Amino acid sequence: MSELLDKKDLTRWNRAGLERFRYVDGNAVTYLETLRLLMKQAFTESGVNQWSALDTEIPVPSNETAAEKKSRWQAQYKAERRDYAWEILRTYARSTHVLMEYVDTYANENFLRTATEWENVKRLVEMIDYHPNPPASAETPIVLIAKEGLSGTVEKGFAFKNKPVDGSKPAIFETLSDIDVDVALNTLKAKDWNKSQNLFTYDATSRSATFELAEPTENVSVGTLGVLVIEPEDDDSFGIAVTVTEVADTQLTLYGEMLYTSIPSSLTDFQVRLLLKPEEKREPLISGSQVIELSEGHGLGIGAVISWYASGWKVAKVLDLEGNRVRLSSNAPYIGEEIYTADFAVKDYHSFPSGSEYGIILPTHRDNLRKNNALWDQNLNSVSDSNHNHGTYGYELDFFASSTRDRLYYVPEREPVATVTDRNIQDWTFTGKSKKFKSGDWLVAQNDSLGNAYRATQIEEIIEHSDSFDIVPDRTVTNVEVVHGLFSVELKPKDYDKNHQPIFLTDSVYRSDVNSTIPLDFDSYSDLLAPGRQIMLVGKLSALALTVKAVDTDNELLVVEPAIPGSEKSSTGETDNFTRYDSVLYANVVNSGHGETHNKIILGSGDATKTNQSFHLDVNDISFVADSKFSSGVRADLAVKVDNRTYTQVSTLIDSEPEDPHFVVQMREDSTLDIEFGDGTLGRRLPSGTNNIVVVYRTGTGLAGNLSAYSLEKTVKPHYLIESVAQPILASGGNDMESAESMREHAPSSVLTLERAVSVTDFSNLAQANSSVWQAKAVMQQPTLSRSNKVNVAIVPAGGGDLGSLSETIAGTLNEHCLPGVSVTVLRYQAILLALTIIVNVKTDEYDIDEVELAVKQKIATDFSLKNASLGKPFYRSQIIQSVESVTGVENCQCQILESFIDESGATVTPDSVALSLNGYVKRISPSWNQLVYFESSTSALNLTMQTFVP
């Protein structure tokens, strides 16, 4: 009691180890007890208390403990007493407590480490010339698709927006500069992008080939006839007649004709197609080297034997005939030859006066009963006429004695039956009309009498006649019996139209660490495709912003920078992302930023008698665009004019000359701006005038602008040149205004840095000062033989995602502030995503297990998010246990970190080292300097088991 009565000061000295100043020594409860004792002392006369309400109503034990005393004082403070004087004492105690807390708070707000109010922290850091980083607006290159047949200029400020699935207000983006567009630059493809370079093999020895299919084909079976069409790029096409010998789900085995030409060793899948299942089967009129055409009315039939004179008498049998066409058993007579029919006499047993014998009696040649003395046996072999006898036995006859010849052919004395009008006929003539046949169609010619029965050929010409038509093939095929054509099935090899070669040239002469060379098809070329133009490469997995460095129209080559991943000298020259088939180049590309332009407003009136005039732009969410000239890496996207003269925004007026029309922008806690002008020494004073200061601004900033790829899809207003827009690269760089905690952390380092990058810490601090950066860490690269020093800086952009143009912005800032000879490389952080298995024990009789589960998930997602993770710092399993067990309702938990580390794309990553516990569980992950361990709700694996706690 004496200590309370003797107390003259309600404050105390701060002890060591406190995170904040704490001057207040007591509270309303202790103050009330002190006042009660003092009042009781004042109202006691002659040992008698004149104010009975001051007596404690709670008995005081003789050996009262500290806990009992605390409990008695609290009960006394909360007790109801119907005594106005007592209520005044209690009110006074409470008021004293409140006032003392204000004193304590104000004391803390005067020191950087303990201040909590944003404005107070800002005031303190400005004493060391540190200004809070403004918010940043997200940026992304946007693809403009020009309307067909149009070209022209799209002015800065062309707007488009996303379509939020949750129904929230869309984010509006605008182009940040003018751009000349041309429909020819909408899309560009690499040379041969749709021509597979996979080799196709036809084994000429076994006359077989394997034909891979993209999917099973119907109605194709073993024995199906077709043509394998070969179409070399720089040579004439040719075909191979094939038959299907085996059918699998996605594969056909083919057996073909004996080749009449060689197949190029470089034949690719793109140069091959397969025609199957002919719908037409036609039999042409007979043709071939032994086919002749006779004049009308020859009267011949199949099996007839004919003869003609050509340096001697010749004979042949009629094997086939169609109309005036006759196929002979031997070489055909020449055009103009007269054709005679040959008769024959057969062997028999004849009796003569001189005796009987076997032989053949022939008409006499002397009496002109035979046209000539030429004779032929049953095989049409010539027989000498001198072997027969002549005699007169009451009549004239010639007798050919023979026991081996069954018959003899001869030419009787008669008129010729026809004249040869054509010979060696190779034309394919068909009766009727040609119908669907046309030039260029492939056919299969069949002749079953040949060992190799099929030949492929192509129609070169069709000649129509009144009742027939001729097909002129491009390949001579004789003795054709059947022609197959009009194929109903056409197949191409699997992925025949997919060139999986890299889009960049891989020859060593084209490999570089700074640029890449792309072979293009310049069929639709525009002069706008010139050095310095921004383009975009969209691959199978991601997109890349590039700049044209050179254009070689003669060789159809495009040189771009930076180097496409995989094309660098140190790389393998391979890529699964930027292949010729999967990649598209867009050349109508312009940078865009989050924000919407508003009409100009009057900011105020200038007064030349005042220095450093300042005006409040009472507008929230002003856009900030990237600018490496500013220490924060961004500047407010607004234009200020004074008396129609444009003033320039600068980071600070310290370097401004007296006549420089400069102004600076300072942030307020409510995200509105103060615009301050010079004082006549540092920056120009404002001239006097009425409403002579106007401003045009854009609004749109913060993390809300960090949109995933292909989110921006709809134009705000139609444009006569633009058909549509596309956003293949995510919008990044958007960030909220710097918080009090961030200012408190970064302001002291700015004093050491002084906007100069000397040590690696300086590089980290300067990079992190950018409004679009959450974290930055720099390391000095191992020294080489080169005299220049190399610094690598890893960046965690606000909101995550790719760096985009932020890489160039930060590199530009660091290069401006570092020593000569220092090379700076800005890299994106490498993610190590956590995969967790957690067993949580919950007192289910006290807490709802579903609510606890949701709280645990939210706690993990927040505590170990990208924003709260630390570059290059070790991660411990105990951190997860601590976080989970801090959730209300969790009694305890077990945690296991799975040793399968991936990044956001699912690719495997390897930390610098991993420490395991005795039971083999991961207890510590030690990342490399540029790696960052965190938990991503949409990607990281979380196997969470909730169960009832059993004591």
Side-chain angles (χ1 to χ4, degrees), residues 504-526:
F504 47 81
L505 294 179
T506 57
D507 295 344
S508 58
V509 67
Y510 296 110
R511 300 280 290 277
S512 169
D513 291 332
V514 295
N515 55 58
S516 300
T517 302
I518 302 174
L520 284 185
D521 187 348
F522 275 32
D523 288 343
S524 57
Y525 174 73
S526 171

Side-chain angles (χ1 to χ4, degrees), residues 31 48 57 87 230 303 319 349 369 375 400 408 430 436 477 690 692 725 727 733 741 772 795 819 827 900:
Y31 295 159
V48 178
E57 295 182 352
E87 290 301 327
I230 310 297
L319 299 179
Y349 189 77
L369 297 178
L375 298 174
F400 194 100
L408 287 176
F430 302 85
K436 297 180 181 179
V477 183
T690 302
N692 60 335
V725 299
Q727 177 223 338
E741 293 77 10
S772 298
I795 297 296
L819 297 173
L827 309 169
S900 55

